[in-house]
Amino acid sequence: MFREEEEDMRDFAGFQEEWKTDNFHAHEKIPYNREPGVNIELPEVVTPIQVFSHVFTEELWMRRVTETNLYAEQSRSATPNSKWVPVTVIEMKTVIGLCLAMGILDLPSRRDFWRQKKWLLRTSIPQAISRERFAIIWRYLHLQDNSKDVNHSDKLWKVRWYLDYLKDRFQELYKVDGFVSVDESMVKFKGRLAFRQYLPLKPTKWDIKVWVMAESSTGYVSNFQVYTGREGGVARRALRTAL
């Protein structure tokens, strides 16, 4: 019994001593010298598509169209495809818009979005674009010219300029305040990818890890970095913050 009391007293060793505060210095708050908020002029009544157009600019759409048409020509030189017609900006916007809609409306197959015989569910997607046209644009959808001399050691070289463009736009359109959160965000993905993560204890087991810096009060993403694994024996975990 006395031995148990001695062990209990050991757990509280140090609590009997008086605390010294002679060398204590209060944390000095670093002043934040930026003016947070929106950096562009918006009308009093603004629609979501107006805000969206500030991120996905016409320059971005034209780059998508140019790279897709170029990749189609490069691919058709090896395997000719008589059904291909150069894609336009309107068609590209339609395809990307349908991709966003398909992420909201979950159906068993992509072909189901064009079915018109089901009386329980009929979409207006066939009026926007045909299934064959969507499929062939999806086949040649591209973001980077493969013939250019780029850094192929970068695992994201095919989408690097696209990610950098979006990150720059996020920081140009809005400045976050001094209170931000840096944490990992998981993007669900089951395809073939060298840096895909498998976390069996997570709700989403197969995913892509992205380090995200977001404003604490609004959740606005100001900076992000896709985790592509270890490089040179060191895991790339440091986020190059914009602050």
Side-chain angles (χ1 to χ4, degrees):
M1 180 178 66
F2 295 104
R3 185 176 300 175
E4 293 179 356
E5 292 180 355
E6 292 178 358
E7 293 178 355
D8 293 339
M9 292 301 296
R10 291 174 186 172
D11 296 336
F12 293 94
F15 283 88
Q16 297 82 1
E17 298 181 5
E18 295 183 1
W19 289 63
K20 297 180 181 180
T21 58
D22 298 339
N23 297 328
F24 175 77
H25 299 283
H27 177 70
E28 296 182 3
K29 185 177 181 180
I30 301 176
Y32 188 75
N33 54 7
R34 294 188 183 183
E35 185 67 27
V38 181
N39 292 336
I40 57 175
E41 294 184 2
L42 294 173
E44 294 182 1
V45 180
V46 61
T47 62
I49 189 63
Q50 289 176 318
V51 178
F52 184 81
S53 63
H54 284 288
V55 180
F56 286 79
T57 60
E58 291 300 319
E59 177 188 356
L60 185 63
W61 290 114
M62 285 302 302
R63 180 73 181 270
R64 277 175 173 267
V65 170
T66 302
E67 296 295 347
T68 299
N69 288 331
L70 178 61
Y71 179 67
E73 292 300 324
Q74 294 172 347
S75 301
R76 290 174 64 248
S77 61
T79 55
N81 190 335
S82 59
K83 295 182 179 181
W84 172 253
V85 178
V87 64
T88 64
V89 174
I90 298 298
E91 287 180 318
M92 182 62 67
K93 290 181 178 181
T94 303
V95 169
I96 300 303
L98 292 182
C99 290
L100 297 176
M102 290 175 183
I104 299 173
L105 178 60
D106 189 14
L107 294 180
S109 173
R110 192 173 67 188
R111 299 173 62 92
D112 292 337
F113 289 94
W114 280 268
R115 293 187 183 275
Q116 296 297 300
K117 295 183 179 179
K118 291 185 177 181
W119 63 273
L120 286 177
L121 175 63
R122 292 184 182 182
T123 68
S124 58
I125 290 179
Q127 284 72 41
I129 190 172
S130 66
R131 183 179 63 191
E132 289 73 18
R133 183 58 177 166
F134 180 91
I136 197 170
I137 295 176
W138 183 264
R139 175 181 179 182
Y140 294 117
L141 188 63
H142 219 64
L143 295 174
Q144 175 65 47
D145 184 3
N146 294 342
S147 61
K148 284 188 175 181
D149 186 15
V150 295
N151 182 17
H152 290 274
S153 62
D154 183 5
K155 296 179 181 179
L156 295 170
W157 68 272
K158 286 194 174 184
V159 294
R160 174 58 64 190
W161 76 264
Y162 182 72
L163 297 177
D164 291 342
Y165 183 91
L166 290 179
K167 182 168 56 178
D168 292 341
R169 288 301 296 168
F170 292 163
Q171 297 175 7
E172 291 173 3
L173 296 175
Y174 183 87
K175 287 186 179 179
V176 298
D177 58 21
F179 301 95
V180 297
S181 173
V182 179
D183 201 356
E184 60 183 28
S185 177
M186 301 300 180
V187 180
K188 186 177 181 180
F189 183 77
K190 292 185 178 181
R192 294 186 299 174
L193 198 62
F195 51 86
R196 182 186 60 172
Q197 301 288 310
Y198 176 65
L199 304 173
L201 300 180
K202 295 284 187 179
T204 304
K205 294 178 175 55
W206 295 99
D207 49 37
I208 300 172
K209 183 189 295 185
V210 183
W211 294 101
V212 175
M213 185 184 77
E215 191 177 43
S216 302
S217 58
T218 63
Y220 184 87
V221 176
S222 176
N223 203 349
F224 63 88
Q225 178 179 326
V226 180
Y227 176 75
T228 58
R230 293 179 176 271
E231 295 185 2
V234 180
R236 293 189 60 186
R237 293 187 177 181
L239 179 67
R240 294 173 296 179
T241 62
L243 296 178

